[in-house]
Amino acid sequence: MSLELTVPRLAESISDAVLVEWLKPDGAAVRADEPVAMLETDKAAMELASPGAGVLRHARQPGDRVVVGDLLARIDAASAGPSPAPPVEAPAGNGEGTARDAPALSPAVRRLVEEHHLDPASIPASGKGGRLLKEDVLQHLERGASGGAEASAPAAAERAASAGPDASGAEPPAAPVPESPAAPEQAADDERVVPMSRIRARIAERLVRSQQTTATLTTFNEVDMSAVLALRARYRESFEKRHGVRLGFMSFFTRAAVLGLAEVPELNAEIRGSDIVYRRRVHMGIAVQTGRGLVVPVVRDADRMSFAGIEREIARLAERGREGTLTIQELSGGTFTVSNGGVYGSLLSTPILNPPQSGILGMHKIEKRPIAIDDQVAIRPMMYLALSYDHRLVDGEQAVSFVVHVKERLEDPERMLLDV
């Protein structure tokens, strides 16, 4: 008797994926619900678990493009007895040594350390409970760029050349994203060529499509952040003690945006064919930069959440984004997006829409500047707001009104608590 491991139903707009790697080799004994394979879609990487105990028989190879319902493997339950699983199993691949640490590593981290032949134990870990994050590995590689990186680069290039772009999860030639003009082995001495991942290719494709299919316009304003800073300083310690999460800026930004969307519902709507679809709930996308690129996990029903609930959910999603473990569901269904470029020092920018959404609010660096208050010059912590919107659906007056609503609530945050 055999069980089948098939490609599960993905997000509504995603029907295919790439089998990135087998976490258990062909013929290995596996337990029920044990992760055995890694799939990568346009939006995220996901682990697939065995549907039962038995011996794993691969039906597809790493690099294969698969669609929903495709057979990936069979689990032969009858053979499970004589082939007990070893306590620690190395995944199929050419990594040596790093596989022994696989149980403590996320799939994204494991792939990175194996690709660069790194010892995870030698890399300082910053995650909870000493967990190694992908950012830790990337920083370790940057620090060693002048030394160990040169030694591992030729091997990485050789593997990339022999495996081909599909084996590393890159977008196939049919995708409408230009590929690198030269293969890794053809790169000049002062160049490093790597295949574009499916997620990076998808980001590029969506950004270009957004510019081509929407009538994007951006309006700006500035906010005096004095009241928010004072409120955070006053309640930060008690807030964290009571709710178990630090009081950041994103809860203020998200709550202000939610209230602004109640006043301008067009920004929480989308164009669907010849219809306008107005959303009754606010599913807030929060742009997060990770080692794999920009991802936008979604805080669902943000309009029903408290400040503490928003902060907890953003912290949870950000952690999963850094670890590369966000699911398709956590990345789908957003109705509006907030992007805080200020954490990287951005003073002003024009965010790009994430279709089919009709608006994205950009927050920026808080910087002390002289401004006029009651005909007097005062130094205040100021921040620029930037709202990019689809002018096909949202009029300029509505866009400006939304930004003003956000500005007023951030400058008087008690209004958000009273919902006025």
Side-chain angles (χ1 to χ4, degrees):
M1 177 181 175
S2 295
L3 300 174
E4 292 187 346
L5 175 65
T6 60
V7 179
R9 183 179 180 276
L10 306 171
E12 181 178 347
S13 60
I14 300 175
S15 60
D16 67 320
V18 168
L19 176 60
V20 177
E21 65 173 323
W22 286 106
L23 305 180
K24 303 290 283 186
D26 188 51
V30 296
R31 301 181 302 275
D33 299 324
E34 181 180 7
V36 296
M38 172 66 66
L39 286 183
E40 186 174 73
T41 72
D42 296 337
K43 291 186 175 182
M46 59 188 298
E47 288 183 343
L48 296 184
S50 172
V55 175
L56 181 68
R57 303 298 182 189
H58 296 174
R60 304 299 291 261
Q61 298 299 316
D64 284 358
R65 195 181 186 91
V66 293
V67 299
V68 175
D70 276 357
L71 177 67
L72 296 175
R74 289 186 173 85
I75 293 84
D76 187 352
S79 314
S83 302
V88 178
E89 188 79 51
N94 56 5
E96 300 174 3
T98 58
R100 295 185 176 87
D101 299 281
L105 305 178
S106 71
V109 172
R110 182 169 59 245
R111 288 174 56 198
L112 196 58
V113 297
E114 289 178 359
E115 177 183 345
H116 293 277
H117 298 288
L118 301 176
D119 178 11
S122 68
I123 305 174
S126 62
K128 291 182 179 179
R131 180 165 185 160
L132 186 65
L133 304 180
K134 187 165 186 177
E135 281 71 12
D136 300 329
V137 182
L138 294 174
Q139 291 175 7
H140 178 79
L141 289 172
E142 290 178 3
R143 287 193 297 268
S146 59
E150 285 86 343
S152 61
E158 183 177 348
R159 290 195 305 275
S162 60
D166 284 344
S168 59
E171 191 74 17
V177 179
E179 298 187 39
S180 300
E185 67 270 23
Q186 297 174 323
D189 291 340
D190 59 347
E191 295 178 340
R192 184 173 68 95
V193 180
V194 297
M196 184 180 287
S197 70
R198 284 177 55 83
I199 291 180
R200 184 75 258 170
R202 181 62 169 171
I203 291 172
E205 179 187 341
R206 287 182 62 83
L207 292 178
V208 172
R209 184 185 303 167
S210 175
Q211 296 287 67
Q212 294 175 341
T213 60
T214 64
T216 302
L217 193 62
T218 305
T219 187
F220 304 93
N221 211 318
E222 61 179 352
V223 180
D224 183 348
M225 295 292 289
S226 300
V228 169
L229 290 172
L231 195 63
R232 287 183 70 239
R234 192 183 316 146
Y235 295 112
R236 181 185 303 176
E237 185 174 336
S238 57
F239 183 92
E240 185 170 357
K241 186 179 300 183
R242 179 179 180 84
H243 299 290
V245 64
R246 63 184 296 272
L247 179 60
F249 288 109
M250 287 306 297
S251 55
F252 289 93
F253 299 157
T254 302
R255 184 61 183 162
V258 164
L259 296 175
L261 292 173
E263 301 289 340
V264 187
E266 288 78 10
L267 281 163
N268 199 45
E270 68 175 73
I271 295 176
R272 190 180 296 170
S274 58
D275 298 323
I276 298 175
V277 180
Y278 291 91
R279 304 285 191 169
R280 293 191 176 93
R281 303 254 61 88
V282 177
H283 303 311
M284 189 69 70
I286 305 294
V288 176
Q289 186 66 40
T290 71
R292 303 177 54 140
L294 183 72
V295 295
V296 187
V298 177
V299 176
R300 301 199 177 277
D301 296 317
D303 52 319
R304 296 180 175 179
M305 287 187 174
S306 64
F307 272 67
I310 291 172
E311 287 287 2
R312 277 195 293 265
E313 183 65 0
I314 290 176
R316 185 187 73 84
L317 293 171
E319 177 80 6
R320 288 175 62 82
R322 287 190 292 268
E323 294 177 352
T325 57
L326 286 166
T327 66
I328 299 298
Q329 289 70 29
E330 289 170 328
L331 290 162
S332 304
T335 61
F336 187 85
T337 296
V338 172
S339 177
N340 184 12
V343 297
Y344 308 108
S346 172
L347 186 62
L348 189 62
S349 65
T350 55
I352 298 179
L353 288 173
N354 184 21
Q357 296 175 24
S358 298
I360 177 171
L361 181 65
M363 327 299 290
H364 298 90
K365 179 183 178 182
I366 299 173
E367 189 169 67
K368 290 185 176 181
R369 296 198 301 271
I371 62 171
I373 300 178
D374 297 328
D375 295 329
Q376 300 292 323
V377 176
I379 305 297
R380 293 295 178 90
M382 304 299 294
M383 181 184 70
Y384 288 116
L385 297 173
L387 173 71
S388 292
Y389 59 97
D390 191 343
H391 211 346
R392 297 177 302 164
L393 176 57
V394 183
D395 294 331
E397 178 185 1
Q398 295 168 321
V400 172
S401 296
F402 172 83
V403 177
V404 170
H405 283 303
V406 173
K407 169 185 170 70
E408 290 175 347
R409 285 161 175 80
L410 290 176
E411 291 184 339
D412 188 6
E414 284 81 3
R415 295 184 59 180
M416 291 190 278
L417 301 177
L418 300 175
D419 197 14
V420 296

